[in-house]
Amino acid sequence: MHDGLLTAGSDQAGPPPAPRRPHYHVLAVVVTLAVLAAAVLVSVVVYSLVRGPAVPVAAPASPPASPPASPPASPPASPLAAGVDPGLVDVTATLGYQQAISSGTGMVLTPSGRVITNNHVIEGATSITVTDVGNHRTYTAAVTGYDQGQDIAVLQLAGASGLTTVPVSTSSAVVVGETVLALGNAQGQGGTPAAAAGTITALGQSITATDQAAGISEQLTGLIQTDVPLQPGDSGGPLVSPAGQVIGMNTAASSQFQISSGAAQAFAIPASQAAPIAAAIAAGRSSAAVHIGATAFLGVQVVSYSVPVPGNPASTGAGVAGITPGTPAARAGLVAGDVITSISGHAVTSAMSVRSVMDAYHPGDTASLHWVDQDGQAHTATIVFAAGPAG
């Protein structure tokens, strides 16, 4: 199982070691371009910050809304938590191609079931279920859209109505030294959200979120830094101010980078930064950063580092590590060892650029795929993208 707590670190030079299957990422962002051992896809990127033990998660109910479950046994941790908890959800994403489960947290934005969470929580999902903390019901969820670069995704719960929403503050009046409370589905346990207190230690921070297994990294900027001890499953949960307002969405943590007091560093996306993106997604406004609707699927596993193009070592592309049978890539004739160089005229120089180019497409769209085989021979094929995993 995995979750998303990002890990802040520096990029490593040279090809990374062979990918290992991730178990449970603490705020991890995962790159789903190259996913698993045998069959993998193309179009998701994950970052792994802190890893924790695997946490089994029961298969979610398939109906749009299940009967109410028994209420959590333990009371809210504090009055602040009591005011926010009913607007939270536990997110469970089934990563079909990875044969894994992702567990995280989400925040309800509208009574009709619009939910914001981290993109890395649902990245690679073939199905998503959400349990509402306020009414204890379980819903199926569809991805409305996402911004991978900002690690934000918006979900719509099927058949939801009358849900309690979180009290969001988009004010920029956040100060260093302020006491905060983080709430979330820690360790994927569900029930009453776990609460962890701390203080804001810095503002406007930039980190490199890295998936150490896949060797892929990406920059996140403008973050709130705290010393809150986040856990796996807290990704997508709220950072709450002393006034009981949600001022951020917990996204990344690191057990490797410690501040002088010994507390782990943690990072949250400011609500003032996340809210406009969520609004754009809800309004269906796509852009170079925001993808609306289903994800296009090529069906290739690409290595995480740039590969010299055979016959033209001055150029680099995305090296193909594997092909998922029955996908557009398989039908086009790609094989392991090929190097993708462009998609419909858009240059591909690495696994990250494949993801960026793919993000402009949707299932059913047509594109011209260009690649070079191991003998240096160039190939071109017209492909029709399939529907792929979320994010």
Side-chain angles (χ1 to χ4, degrees), residues 124-136:
T126 50
S127 66
I128 303 169
T129 57
V130 167
T131 300
D132 184 75
V133 173
N135 66 15
H136 316 299

Side-chain angles (χ1 to χ4, degrees), residues 33 38 40 67 89 98 121 154 173 184 229 236 248 297 323 352:
L33 277 170
V40 208
V89 298
Q98 296 171 270
V121 170
V154 173
F297 185 57
I323 302 292
M352 292 294 289

Side-chain angles (χ1 to χ4, degrees), residues 175-181 197-202 224-228 259:
V175 296
V176 173
E178 185 172 66
T179 300
V180 288
L181 187 70
T199 58
I200 295 175
T201 57
I224 299 171
Q225 182 177 329
T226 73
D227 57 11
V228 177
I259 60 176

